[in-house]
Amino acid sequence: MSSTISAAAPQPQAFGALRLPGYRAYLGTFLLTMMADNVEHVISYWVMFQKFHSPALGGFAVVSHWLPFLAFSVSVGALNDRSDSRRIIQAGALLFIVASAGWGYFFVTNTLEIWHAMLLLVIHGCAGVLWITSSQVLLYDIVGPAALPSAVRLAATARYLGVLVGPGVGSVVMLTLGPTRGIFLNVVFYVPLLLWLVAAPFGRHFRGDRPPLKRAVRGLADVVQTLREVRSIPVLAAMIALAGGASFFVGNSYQAQMPGFAHDLGHGDPGTAYTMLLGADATGALLAGLLLESRGGIFRMRPATAVALAMAWACSLVGFALVRSYPAALALLFVAGFFELSFSSMAQTLVQMNAPESSRGRVLGLYNMAAAGLRAFSGITVGLAGSVANIHVSLAVSAGMYAAAMAYMRLRGTLGRTVAA
């Protein structure tokens, strides 16, 4: 199996994808959109917390953000197998703009109610599933198989850089312009993606090797068929299970609850200390991305390594949930971010490299259904459970259960030879 993986995912030149002009434009607009996504989170989550003080609403923020991935990822992937990925991404960008402008309207009129917030959170989640899955399909057309490992790692690094910059920009915007003007400013950050995709010469319509597929989008039938295809490719099955477990138990639910964690750590007001908490895990992820992309890397590209890194990530979050020291919490979030990018970028690279060409969109859709869609349930395990007990206990239990599940699956050989040491 190790020889198979090595052949499928050769070691690229360090930062090799950046030598491709099309990829540089892709990465720049991807980073700006990810930053805008997180600026909106910072502003909207803060306003919701201050207005409603509801852990349950914070949990719904997680559910509504990721449930569209669970319901529509494979269908969006199937749509990419037969349609222009650029236009699907643009549709997602337009929904992002609608969500930010909607928050701004309710801030201006001071009429925000819980159901308004819930509706805008759902719109934002639908925008995400159109953008993420389609961007991954377009990425393959931009760089090709040789530069794909580098491109995936750099895109994952850019995602966390957006997570890092977004909270900082969001906090600065709130302190200088206020939430209302800040959320309207955020609309502008989505415009470069829309404009670049108007005439970007990439995608299925520009291929000369074969015509676009015409297979119909069939909803649940696509999910079943793709599951059958994935089961026959052990690397795909293992990495989708790994990503799905991380999303189900933890996901990024603790980010939606960060105002509550910050309050309990003695830094509940918007400012430098709160911003550092928001960006600590993204900083660790950024460092991991740079190290992984450097020549030779620091971890072997194999499923066993991804499993070990995922377990380390979960244990770091258990520690963060239980400590009451701000410096210790900051350090543990940094470590968690380092391990999260390490295992998630490795898993996505293996999926990208081993996905069949004829069903690439569907396979990537299934991966996103697991890696992102199952995060909807982490809103229940961490957010809604936190409203019954407290968010520290719910996060510690959820992360601990994931670490235990991965250890059990490895010991029992549930993931098969693909994770053998």
Side-chain angles (χ1 to χ4, degrees), residues 10-340:
Q11 290 293 330
Q13 189 175 12
F15 302 99
L18 289 178
R19 293 172 170 81
L20 304 174
Y23 183 72
R24 291 198 295 269
Y26 170 93
L27 193 64
T29 56
F30 184 93
L31 173 59
L32 196 59
T33 303
M34 182 58 67
M35 185 194 74
D37 183 10
N38 285 278
V39 168
E40 180 179 325
H41 287 328
V42 169
I43 296 176
S44 61
Y45 288 174
W46 183 261
V47 171
M48 285 191 299
F49 179 76
Q50 293 298 319
K51 189 174 182 63
F52 303 114
H53 292 279
S54 173
L57 184 57
F60 180 83
V62 177
V63 173
S64 62
H65 190 85
W66 301 116
L67 189 60
F69 284 86
L70 184 64
F72 304 124
S73 284
V74 176
S75 294
V76 171
L79 190 62
N80 276 272
D81 279 336
R82 57 172 294 166
S83 303
D84 191 338
S85 298
R86 300 172 303 168
R87 306 304 169 232
I88 304 173
I89 298 170
Q90 286 178 311
L94 286 172
L95 286 182
F96 276 133
I97 290 173
V98 168
S100 285
W103 286 112
Y105 169 79
F106 289 115
F107 293 170
V108 167
T109 59
N110 195 28
T111 57
L112 182 66
E113 299 179 13
I114 288 182
W115 76 269
H116 296 146
M118 294 171 69
L119 176 60
L120 291 172
L121 290 168
V122 169
I123 292 174
H124 188 94
C126 292
V129 71
L130 290 173
W131 172 50
I132 290 294
T133 302
S134 305
S135 293
Q136 291 174 354
V137 175
L138 186 66
L139 175 61
Y140 186 87
D141 289 315
I142 293 173
V143 303
L148 188 60
S150 174
V152 171
R153 281 193 294 269
L154 286 170
T157 304
R159 177 167 65 91
Y160 281 95
L161 182 57
V163 172
L164 175 63
V165 174
V169 173
S171 295
V172 170
V173 166
M174 282 201 299
L175 291 172
T176 57
L177 299 179
T180 302
R181 293 179 180 177
I183 202 69
F184 280 122
L185 175 63
N186 195 55
V187 171
V188 178
F189 298 145
Y190 295 112
V191 174
L193 178 65
L194 280 172
L195 296 180
W196 175 65
L197 288 172
V198 170
F202 304 107
R204 189 173 303 282
H205 286 68
F206 291 89
R207 290 184 186 176
D209 55 344
R210 59 185 175 85
L213 297 177
K214 297 298 183 182
R215 187 167 55 185
V217 177
R218 298 178 298 167
L220 183 60
D222 283 323
V223 177
V224 174
Q225 177 181 338
T226 308
L227 281 170
R228 290 172 177 168
E229 292 182 21
V230 164
R231 286 173 58 188
S232 66
I233 307 174
V235 175
L236 294 180
M239 293 300 95
I240 290 174
L242 177 71
S247 298
F248 178 85
F249 286 103
V250 180
N252 68 338
S253 55
Y254 57 94
Q255 285 288 347
Q257 304 293 343
M258 197 58 73
F261 283 113
H263 179 272
D264 293 344
L265 290 167
H267 295 280
D269 296 323
T272 302
Y274 175 64
T275 301
M276 289 175 65
L277 275 178
L278 286 173
D281 60 343
T283 304
L286 178 60
L287 176 61
L290 294 175
L291 289 176
L292 286 170
E293 184 57 21
S294 62
R295 293 182 184 275
I298 55 176
F299 301 119
R300 291 184 59 186
M301 179 67 66
R302 59 175 186 169
T305 305
V307 171
L309 292 169
M311 293 173 63
W313 165 71
C315 292
S316 300
L317 286 179
V318 171
F320 163 73
L322 297 179
V323 299
R324 291 297 187 270
S325 164
Y326 175 81
L330 203 64
L332 286 165
L333 279 177
F334 178 88
V335 172
F338 184 95
F339 287 126
E340 182 178 10

